[in-house]
Amino acid sequence: MSPTIRAHTGADRHTMLGFIHELQKAERAMHESRLPGDEVAELCYARLLDQGAEILVAEMAGEPVGFVAGWLDEDDDPLQTDEWRRHGYISDIFVAPSWRRRGIGRSLLQAMSARLQGKGARRLRICALAANQTAIDAFRRFGFAPFEITFDKPLS
Ligand SMILES: CC(C)(COP(=O)(O)OP(=O)(O)OC[C@H]1O[C@@H](n2cnc3c(N)ncnc32)[C@H](O)[C@@H]1OP(=O)(O)O)[C@@H](O)C(=O)NCCC(=O)NCCS
């Protein structure tokens, strides 16, 4: 059964805060840099709204089971060609754990891709923690390839 993908509305606030909380919790379990979900969920949601992000919600039998958010973005790096600077940026994607591996993430990516392409995007960008192998596998399967890699080294 395929999910229904629909635009987010103000009535999704409570659900969205829960999803963002869970997403942040999952990333915090993978990397110490991430703050606790309950500290950042409100802020993250407010930033998506302020940004004017496209937010799409996936439903199964009328129940929200995931979301994706993104917008048209432009890197300020003057060393990149215009084609590479302008892109559709997918900032967040989340599927509730009990609904994973059923194609819902792919449906959300497809829907956001079509939405951003319709607004003029000619390429898409998305990020994942290096430790998030599941997300990396899902993004590669969708056709994403690594572009830039950020390295970190703590200084004593
Ligand atoms: C990443 C995420 C959105 C994928 O959602 P999903 O609905 O499970 O993904 P799909 O079922 O559409 O899977 C699409 C492809 O991704 C790959 N994939 C997904 N989960 C995988 C896993 N656990 N192991 C290996 N490959 C996986 C597969 O190639 C899969 O295609 P296939 O089933 O035809 O083999 C989901 O795991 C999630 O919400 N993770 C927590 C939040 C997160 O890390 N978000 C990314 C950072 S913003």
Side-chain angles (χ1 to χ4, degrees), residues 23 93-95 100-103 105-106 132 134 137-138 141:
L23 169 54
I93 180 164
F94 175 81
V95 174
R100 289 183 191 158
R101 287 317 291 267
R102 300 185 201 204
R106 188 193 342 261
N132 194 349
T134 302
D137 287 346
R141 183 89 161 99

Side-chain angles (χ1 to χ4, degrees), residues 93-148:
I93 180 164
F94 175 81
V95 174
S98 57
W99 289 97
R100 289 183 191 158
R101 287 317 291 267
R102 300 185 201 204
I104 296 171
R106 188 193 342 261
S107 296
L108 283 165
L109 287 172
Q110 258 158 6
M112 183 55 74
S113 173
R115 190 64 72 103
L116 293 174
Q117 191 168 16
K119 293 180 97 176
R122 294 182 59 198
R123 58 191 329 115
L124 292 177
R125 217 159 278 169
I126 196 163
C127 296
L129 283 169
N132 194 349
Q133 195 58 49
T134 302
I136 292 170
D137 287 346
F139 300 164
R140 279 186 179 276
R141 183 89 161 99
F142 191 71
F144 284 100
F147 168 42
E148 292 176 332

